[in-house]
Amino acid sequence: MSAAVPPPADPAAAGEMAREAAAWCALHGLVVGDRADPRSGTVPGVGLVHAPFSLLPAHLPEPFWKQACELAPIFNELVDRVSLDGNFLQDSLSKTRQVDDFTSRLLEIHRKMMEINKEENIRLGLHRSDYMLDSETSSLLQIELNTISTSFPGLGPLVSELHRTLINQYGRVLSLEPKRVPGNAASSKFAEALARAWTEFDVDSAIVMMIVQPEERNMYDQYWITKYLKESYGITTLRKTLTQVEAEGHVLPDGTLLVDGKKVAVVYYRAGYTPNDYPSEAEWSARLLIEQSSSVKCPSISYQLVGTKRIQQELANPNVLERFLENKEDIAKLRKCFAGLWSLDDEEIIKTAIEKPELFVLKPQREGGGNNIYGLDLRETLTRLQKEGGDALAAYILMQRIFPKASLAYLVRGGICHEGLVISELGIYGSYLRSKDKVITNDQCGYLMRTKVSSSDEGGVAAGFAVLDSLYLT
Ligand SMILES: Nc1ncnc2c1ncn2[C@@H]1O[C@H](COP(=O)(O)OP(=O)(O)O)[C@@H](O)[C@H]1O
Ligand SMILES: N[C@H](CCC(=O)N[C@@H](CS)C(=O)NCCC(=O)O)C(=O)O
Ligand SMILES: [Mg+2]
């Protein structure tokens, strides 16, 4: 996909649009905490700044949009099927667990659940599958599938609305049509899936507990979900850190999780995906307590494990998808969007990657941005790991680097409008709810576009590399 159309005639026009757009953000809650204000991550309503955004939507030929939307329910079903094969997860991650303590702790909780034959009869997934359009092969390739704490279901739809508003105002000058910005209902759809899970839990006084980080500058993205839960379904959301759950939570003999004396129907994780979220044993015991309870976990420990990069790589191996899905067409559709993915016990590929590091990305089993290794660092890391020998290589996977076409765009951050050469990454949200053998929800539900300067290897809006964008179908 290419970013916005050639920017407005001149920087002055872009500056004027940017000012109006930033005001629109403030009026519509398209906001994040401002790093400059020490209280912006802990005190709601204090220290806000407009979310970084692209002035106009990124372009994408409609067939790729259709392809990405079609993949969502297939990936949702795949996650659920793989999550039920505990031995596959344990075996595939067995080498990783030797060298990666974080993954090892997650696997330990997973193993404990297997030992007590813990059943999750109600399973809720709120996923986001991220793609880039590889310019060399002109194919839409999956970057990763996120199954925990997928960001921006709240803010993403607002960017689509902002761009539609700007095109309504400036459409003639830009010869753009507002209806080519696809509708984006991620926030209301995520709330709907959470509310349906709450209904399946079937305890009227129960609440939704959102697991959050002690400091969270993306809290307004989270509050949008809270708002829809309350206003559309009358459901109360409790924000708790893992530390607080350890201190205030306990499980009744019938499995009900009580926190602050309230019964918890659904635990929606917006933290727990990175080692930083487990600073002590307290947070791990909170995670175990939640997993042992009858609450609906979003995600369960198995759903989280399915979303690891090692499993992404294993699922790309020959004949593996066939273990989980029957429909040959679906399997072919998934394989079509897989980039090259290798584990590091393949000497050949390591040799190639050391020779041409710019064609690869080296990934540890981490989520949240800022963890990947590129270029000369990749060569140096592989050379060192190979020399060290042993199992250290099992902490990583190697991935084909995808090269989207760069294009010009205006990015607005902190009230300043910059023109730059950018590339974009399309995220498609999926919601999946199963209650025993009934699939209640299995939908594509909205999208997120993130756009970053093409010179930046890493992505990530929270990490400060990318801005929020939306989509213009060509
Ligand atoms: N194969 C790839 N080709 C090009 N860029 C990539 C590739 N994989 C990751 N990236 C870039 O790195 C960022 C983070 O990688 P990702 O796998 O999404 O890790 P995380 O789980 O930390 O988000 C992506 O948003 C993208 O900008
Ligand atoms: N604090 C958490 C942040 C959660 C988070 O980092 N999520 C990962 C998937 S695990 C993700 O979606 N990364 C893309 C977001 C970006 O580009 O910045 C939140 O609740 O928002
Ligand atoms: Mg990512």
Side-chain angles (χ1 to χ4, degrees):
M1 59 216 89
S2 61
V5 285
D10 61 275
E16 178 47 36
M17 271 179 83
R19 271 188 296 282
E20 284 183 40
W24 190 96
C25 292
L27 296 176
H28 294 80
L30 181 43
V31 292
V32 291
D34 183 348
R35 284 176 201 276
D37 188 318
R39 297 191 300 158
S40 63
T42 47
V43 183
V46 166
L48 311 183
V49 64
H50 71 75
F53 62 91
S54 172
L55 195 51
L56 286 165
H59 278 209
L60 180 74
E62 189 144 8
F64 294 117
W65 162 248
K66 285 204 165 69
Q67 178 191 357
C69 290
E70 235 179 57
L71 286 167
I74 308 173
F75 273 117
N76 287 350
E77 188 61 43
L78 178 66
V79 168
D80 194 60
R81 301 284 182 90
V82 175
S83 76
L84 297 173
D85 190 336
N87 292 324
F88 171 78
L89 291 172
Q90 289 284 336
D91 296 348
S92 304
L93 289 160
S94 58
K95 280 195 184 164
T96 311
R97 85 173 300 159
Q98 308 297 332
V99 289
D100 180 328
D101 186 47
F102 176 61
T103 308
S104 167
R105 294 301 298 266
L106 295 174
L107 279 166
E108 196 182 310
I109 293 176
H110 177 256
R111 195 178 42 76
K112 283 187 178 142
M113 293 307 108
M114 285 177 75
E115 274 165 12
I116 60 171
N117 291 315
K118 181 78 168 52
E119 296 245 311
E120 299 300 333
N121 291 322
I122 308 170
R123 302 194 291 271
L124 172 63
L126 295 179
H127 309 314
R128 195 190 72 238
S129 182
D130 294 336
Y131 304 92
M132 281 184 170
L133 183 54
D134 184 62
S135 53
E136 275 152 50
T137 57
S138 184
S139 50
L140 194 78
L141 296 178
Q142 186 182 51
I143 295 284
E144 65 160 345
L145 176 62
N146 294 288
T147 58
I148 181 168
S149 300
T150 58
S151 293
F152 304 121
L155 300 186
L158 295 169
V159 187
S160 307
E161 222 185 300
L162 166 64
H163 284 157
R164 215 174 286 121
T165 304
L166 289 175
I167 293 173
N168 267 320
Q169 266 177 310
Y170 297 89
R172 271 184 316 289
V173 170
L174 297 165
S175 62
L176 293 175
E177 304 154 57
K179 68 176 176 20
R180 305 197 69 74
V181 178
N184 189 354
S187 42
S188 54
K189 287 283 185 186
F190 265 33
E192 182 185 2
L194 284 159
R196 284 183 167 176
W198 179 89
T199 305
E200 285 304 305
F201 188 77
D202 198 19
V203 172
D204 282 355
S205 61
I207 51 106
V208 168
M209 178 166 69
M210 194 185 294
I211 301 294
V212 297
Q213 289 162 339
E215 297 249 339
E216 178 55 80
R217 285 188 294 105
N218 193 32
M219 71 169 86
Y220 305 102
D221 181 51
Q222 300 167 352
Y223 274 110
W224 276 103
I225 311 294
T226 299
K227 163 193 145 65
Y228 282 111
L229 279 171
K230 175 54 80 180
E231 291 180 5
S232 309
Y233 307 96
I235 296 171
T236 299
T237 304
L238 208 54
R239 289 173 68 84
K240 290 288 175 187
T241 64
L242 284 171
T243 317
Q244 288 169 321
V245 171
E246 198 273 339
E248 303 161 25
H250 66 277
V251 174
L252 298 178
D254 71 352
T256 307
L257 174 64
L258 280 185
V259 176
D260 259 359
K262 297 178 185 71
K263 293 183 178 180
V264 179
V266 184
V267 181
Y268 172 38
Y269 285 95
R270 291 296 294 258
Y273 55 85
T274 163
N276 306 336
D277 292 337
Y278 303 84
S280 76
E281 282 309 310
E283 289 72 29
W284 284 113
S285 58
R287 184 70 195 266
L288 178 61
L289 185 80
I290 294 167
E291 208 58 38
Q292 286 165 328
S293 78
S294 61
S295 302
V296 180
K297 276 74 76 175
C298 179
S300 64
I301 199 83
S302 351
Y303 266 39
Q304 178 172 4
L305 290 171
V306 176
T308 58
K309 301 208 174 23
R310 169 72 185 99
I311 297 299
Q312 177 185 0
Q313 183 268 318
E314 183 62 30
L315 291 172
N317 284 337
N319 309 317
V320 177
L321 288 178
E322 282 74 7
R323 289 178 56 173
F324 301 103
L325 295 174
E326 296 78 34
N327 184 310
K328 295 279 171 267
E329 274 149 49
D330 286 352
I331 290 174
K333 285 175 184 165
L334 293 183
R335 282 218 171 96
K336 191 175 168 207
C337 79
F338 285 168
L341 283 155
W342 301 272
S343 70
L344 292 183
D345 46 29
D346 173 340
E347 302 259 324
E348 267 315 294
I349 201 65
I350 293 186
K351 192 162 152 287
T352 313
I354 288 175
E355 277 158 21
K356 302 194 183 85
E358 68 285 355
L359 298 183
F360 296 89
V361 183
L362 186 60
K363 298 189 175 184
Q365 304 309 311
R366 292 289 181 273
E367 298 296 329
N371 302 297
N372 297 339
I373 301 171
Y374 303 84
L376 294 183
D377 288 352
L378 185 147
R379 168 183 288 162
E380 190 273 328
T381 306
L382 281 181
T383 309
R384 177 170 49 77
L385 289 173
Q386 229 180 10
K387 243 188 233 118
E388 274 167 18
D391 304 338
L393 287 162
Y396 300 87
I397 63 147
L398 200 57
M399 185 172 181
Q400 164 198 346
R401 181 156 187 172
I402 302 163
F403 296 96
K405 190 162 73 70
S407 59
L408 261 184
Y410 280 105
L411 308 183
V412 188
R413 199 190 289 273
I416 300 167
C417 185
H418 312 265
E419 184 180 358
L421 211 49
V422 301
I423 56 175
S424 297
E425 179 174 350
L426 173 66
I428 299 286
Y429 292 106
S431 59
Y432 185 87
L433 176 65
R434 193 180 185 108
S435 181
K436 297 185 190 62
D437 52 3
K438 199 173 35 155
V439 177
I440 298 170
T441 304
N442 183 8
D443 291 323
Q444 175 263 338
C445 54
Y447 62 96
L448 165 72
M449 186 66 102
R450 286 175 291 158
T451 292
K452 65 178 184 182
V453 287
S454 51
S455 57
S456 154
D457 289 332
E458 262 301 312
V461 175
F465 299 100
V467 302
L468 294 175
D469 198 344
S470 84
L471 190 47
Y472 191 85
L473 298 179
T474 54

